[in-house]
Amino acid sequence: MTIAQQTTVAAVRTLVVQHLNLALPEGRPAEDDDLWKLGMTSLSCLGLMLAIEDEFDIELAQDALKEATFQNLATISAAVDAVLN
Amino acid sequence: MSATIEKPDVRPAQADVLIVGNGALGLFLARELSAAGAGSVVVVGPADRSSGGSQAAGAMMGCFAEATSESLRTQPARTRFELGVAAHERWPAVLAALQEHAPGGRPLLTAPETHVVLNSIGAELDNVNLAAIINALTEYGKPWQECDPHDIPGFNPRTDTRALRAILLPEEGAVDARAVLTALQADLLASGVTLLDASVRTLLGDSDSVTGAELDDGHVIEAGKVVVAAGALSESVLKTLIPDLDLVPTFAGLGFAMIARRTGGEPFRSVVRTPNRGFACGLHVVPQADGTEYYGATNRLVDEVGSTTWMADVRFLAQYSMQQLDERAASHEVVRWLAGNRPVTLDGFPLIGWLPRAGLYLMSGTYRDGFHCAPLLAAHVANELQGKPGLIDPIFQPTRRPVATRTVEGSIQEYVEHNLAGWFETGAQAAPQLTTRQIADYYRNMATQFYERVGTDYALGPDILWYAQGSLVGGRRVARYLRRLQPAAAGTGAL
Ligand SMILES: Cc1cc2nc3c(=O)[nH]c(=O)nc-3n(C[C@H](O)[C@H](O)[C@H](O)COP(=O)(O)OP(=O)(O)OC[C@H]3O[C@@H](n4cnc5c(N)ncnc54)[C@H](O)[C@@H]3O)c2cc1C
């Protein structure tokens, strides 16, 4: 994993913890932890998506706006990096 | 219908007015312009009107039967309501003129009157809206009467959803939408209007004005005036010329309906419907010109214009038509499935007016009653295009700030009521311990959270709220637009 990708994951993690209201140890959720199973709802996902776009100053592709993109930190970060690169 | 569309060997390269879209609005406008001698008129649109609203419409000529508790509560809503009242008066003359072109000579007006039924499966919202209908009729001095549900021709619901009350609106009926569109086309061809079976790929022009349009096969038509009446696709057509157009956002309200041939029992002779309910226009049956019956309609805001039908919607319509309208419908033969997109706006008001490019005009955003309003809107737009005074209120200007008619608290309450109505109509089963108030709390919580997360004080209608909180695409569009609208409030939510 490149440094840029690690940075994306870390920034996404911060937003996820904030928007899902999670109380987890440092470095959690893991990259492949299923966020829906951690209690993400369609509404918290909407808030998270908006926050991610604000934070990275990007617009995610319309076809990325689906459940699967927000499955875990890795999938979200991949969608973000796809726009950034 | 395609047989009547002209395919000239030499397609016009110029027009005085080019109309993009061949739904009710585009065709009625062409008719007005032609009657006014406003020069050459070309209408572009695919002959099958794929996914357009007009070809799928029940074409109830309803305005009072459509009334809800919102209709007369605020001045802008009242202005919108009165658009329907004024449009209604135009139909007798329209039908008299078009009847000679009616397919098979059958009457275009297929039902002279409407019965609104209050049945036991409707939630409190039905009571509220029936009261609103009666209030509106009374206030505007229109005739109506109570009637015995048993006396409504064709009406034969299951006992569990029987009507407890019914009223007759003797002046509101329905036309056969598809027959009217065919008659309109014949009328236009007879009066020299060119109808092209094609789509516009891009509008042409510069930063000052529109100069015409390019069709999907590259053919160019130059025109000094271009009217976009492409239904739910209007916004995307406009963005081909003005990518950053600051329009009130529009959405597609996908609706599904069925046309069935009756195999027994007494036919319906009037429109029979519930009040508006659960985000949609209520359940209704509309007699058609050829003796078939139209059963409609669902309404779901979707990310993209299309004509997909969901199993859930097929079930909804089939089951509730059998249950609530006529149990014999079970053995009717479905002869046609209709799916079409209503042009919906964020604030629920139409988009009618000039755009920031000289010569470019938009007529859309009519949502549930665009067929009914079309003759009036067409007369208004024809006037404006000719530099004459318009006929309707200027509040429908497309680049307005969204019209505000509710408070956030009112919006949340309305959202709860619509969801409860949907919940009970669909027979959703809940554990007996779960009370209506608890279900209401659930929906209230959803709506409250939405407003918190988006951080806006612009209050949305229940249908837009439902869409925005359930779709990431819709939620993003609504949230971004509302935040742009109120820069001061941006970022103040729970984001
Ligand atoms: C199921 C259903 C039931 C309804 N029931 C009623 C009712 O009972 N009463 C009532 O008054 N209203 C009803 N409506 C609403 C009504 O249908 C709409 O408000 C109205 O028809 C909109 O008309 P329009 O001409 O603006 O758009 P449309 O009818 O959508 O027409 C737009 C046309 O533009 C064409 N087009 C799109 N893109 C392009 C392009 N790029 N180039 C050229 N052409 C293009 C489309 O193919 C379409 O034919 C109903 C709608 C639905 C879906």
Side-chain angles (χ1 to χ4, degrees):
Chain A
M1 204 191 293
T2 67
I3 298 207
Q5 281 167 334
Q6 282 172 13
T7 327
T8 306
V9 171
V12 168
R13 179 177 289 122
T14 308
L15 293 172
V16 164
V17 168
Q18 196 181 326
H19 280 266
L20 272 58
N21 241 334
L22 300 174
L24 294 172
E26 187 72 25
R28 297 272 138 181
E31 266 178 62
D32 58 356
D33 282 349
D34 188 331
L35 300 181
W36 297 102
K37 288 192 181 149
L38 287 177
M40 185 161 69
T41 63
S42 61
L43 273 172
S44 47
C45 182
L46 172 63
L48 175 63
M49 184 258 295
L50 293 170
I52 287 171
E53 291 195 337
D54 287 345
E55 174 77 20
F56 292 96
D57 196 18
I58 54 168
E59 186 169 325
L60 293 167
Q62 177 149 330
D63 60 16
L65 300 189
K66 54 182 184 224
E67 230 176 272
T69 305
F70 295 88
Q71 194 78 35
N72 55 43
L73 296 188
T75 52
I76 299 176
S77 304
V80 170
D81 285 334
V83 184
L84 288 176
N85 304 330
Chain B
M1 224 177 278
S2 57
T4 60
I5 288 216
E6 198 174 352
K7 296 228 174 171
D9 298 336
V10 184
R11 291 179 297 177
Q14 276 177 332
D16 291 309
V17 183
L18 174 65
I19 301 173
V20 184
N22 56 347
L25 263 53
L27 296 186
F28 272 111
L29 173 62
R31 185 167 177 272
E32 287 290 336
L33 289 170
S34 150
S40 57
V41 179
V42 173
V43 182
V44 181
D48 64 359
R49 296 195 174 76
S50 50
S51 67
S54 305
Q55 51 82 31
M60 294 180 283
M61 299 287 102
C63 50
F64 288 92
E66 295 273 335
T68 69
S69 54
E70 283 296 296
S71 303
L72 300 178
R73 202 174 55 75
T74 58
Q75 192 51 47
R78 186 176 282 268
T79 304
R80 171 72 179 91
F81 182 77
E82 288 179 356
L83 196 68
V85 179
H88 203 75
E89 288 162 16
R90 294 192 169 248
W91 275 94
V94 165
L95 292 176
L98 290 181
Q99 187 57 48
E100 65 167 307
H101 298 295
R106 292 185 290 262
L108 295 172
L109 183 74
T110 54
E113 54 194 25
T114 294
H115 289 93
V116 182
V117 297
L118 180 69
N119 68 20
S120 56
I121 202 167
E124 190 57 27
L125 187 63
D126 271 22
N127 293 56
V128 171
N129 285 340
L130 185 71
I133 292 172
I134 294 173
N135 281 343
L137 287 161
T138 311
E139 184 179 331
Y140 285 80
K142 300 289 179 187
W144 67 278
Q145 65 196 63
E146 293 279 348
C147 61
D148 183 339
H150 294 104
D151 295 340
I152 302 173
F155 185 57
N156 180 33
R158 291 265 189 195
T159 338
D160 55 352
T161 64
R162 68 194 180 280
L164 310 170
R165 189 179 171 189
I167 61 168
L168 169 69
L169 280 63
E171 292 183 355
E172 280 190 17
V175 296
D176 181 321
R178 287 136 296 275
V180 168
L181 292 169
T182 305
L184 261 171
Q185 287 191 169
D187 179 71
L188 292 175
L189 292 176
S191 54
V193 170
T194 305
L195 301 175
L196 289 181
D197 175 9
S199 285
V200 163
R201 178 158 68 199
T202 159
L203 297 177
L204 301 173
D206 52 32
S207 54
D208 294 325
S209 48
V210 68
T211 54
E214 184 183 314
L215 307 189
D216 44 12
D217 65 357
H219 179 75
V220 168
I221 302 174
E222 288 178 0
K225 287 174 186 148
V226 176
V227 179
V228 174
L233 284 166
S234 297
E235 184 174 344
S236 64
V237 170
L238 291 170
K239 290 201 162 163
T240 62
L241 179 64
I242 321 177
D244 57 352
L245 178 64
D246 196 12
L247 201 64
V248 176
T250 63
F251 309 94
L254 181 55
F256 167 61
M258 294 187 285
I259 295 187
R261 192 184 320 283
R262 174 171 283 281
T263 53
E266 187 192 14
F268 287 99
R269 288 201 290 273
S270 57
V271 173
V272 181
R273 61 169 298 168
T274 69
N276 274 343
R277 60 157 70 138
F279 306 106
C281 39
L283 187 66
H284 51 268
V285 55
V286 183
Q288 299 293 286
D290 61 0
T292 56
E293 290 171 351
Y294 172 106
Y295 290 85
T298 62
N299 181 35
R300 226 186 254 252
L301 269 58
V302 290
D303 295 339
E304 309 246 354
V305 168
S307 35
T308 328
T309 304
W310 293 277
M311 280 210 203
D313 284 13
V314 176
R315 179 203 74 113
F316 177 96
L317 206 55
Q319 182 179 340
Y320 301 138
S321 296
M322 294 183 281
Q323 227 183 343
Q324 300 183 42
L325 294 169
D326 178 12
E327 61 175 354
R328 295 196 65 152
S331 49
H332 289 2
E333 298 161 1
V334 178
V335 294
R336 200 160 161 194
W337 307 86
L338 299 168
N341 293 266
R342 300 173 181 85
V344 186
T345 56
L346 178 105
D347 60 7
F349 287 78
L351 302 170
I352 313 285
W354 293 105
L355 293 168
R357 291 292 183 280
L360 185 59
Y361 200 100
L362 172 62
M363 74 191 297
S364 188
T366 53
Y367 206 175
R368 300 195 169 104
D369 68 342
F371 211 99
H372 180 233
C373 289
L376 172 65
L377 295 177
H380 166 79
V381 176
N383 274 8
E384 292 231 300
L385 292 178
Q386 297 172 88
K388 296 182 193 161
L391 302 172
I392 65 170
D393 197 282
I395 64 165
F396 306 122
Q397 218 297 319
T399 51
R400 62 182 179 247
R401 280 180 73 83
V403 180
T405 56
R406 14 170 113 71
T407 60
V408 168
E409 188 37 50
S411 153
I412 294 173
Q413 186 55 33
E414 222 184 317
Y415 179 77
V416 170
E417 279 160 15
H418 277 252
N419 274 297
L420 283 181
W423 171 274
F424 287 114
E425 186 182 17
T426 53
Q429 297 289 320
Q433 297 86 340
L434 191 62
T435 61
T436 305
R437 180 187 258 172
Q438 286 168 320
I439 303 169
D441 281 347
Y442 165 79
Y443 287 116
R444 186 181 313 282
N445 190 18
M446 295 274 278
T448 308
Q449 273 194 42
F450 176 85
Y451 280 107
E452 279 171 13
R453 287 182 189 276
V454 170
T456 179
D457 58 13
Y458 180 80
L460 300 162
D463 40 4
I464 306 283
L465 188 50
W466 183 87
Y467 172 57
Q469 61 87 19
S471 151
L472 288 173
V473 174
R476 179 170 77 176
R477 276 193 73 201
V478 170
R480 294 271 174 245
Y481 175 78
L482 293 178
R483 286 171 166 196
R484 238 189 12 257
L485 208 61
Q486 339 171 253
T492 56
L495 294 173

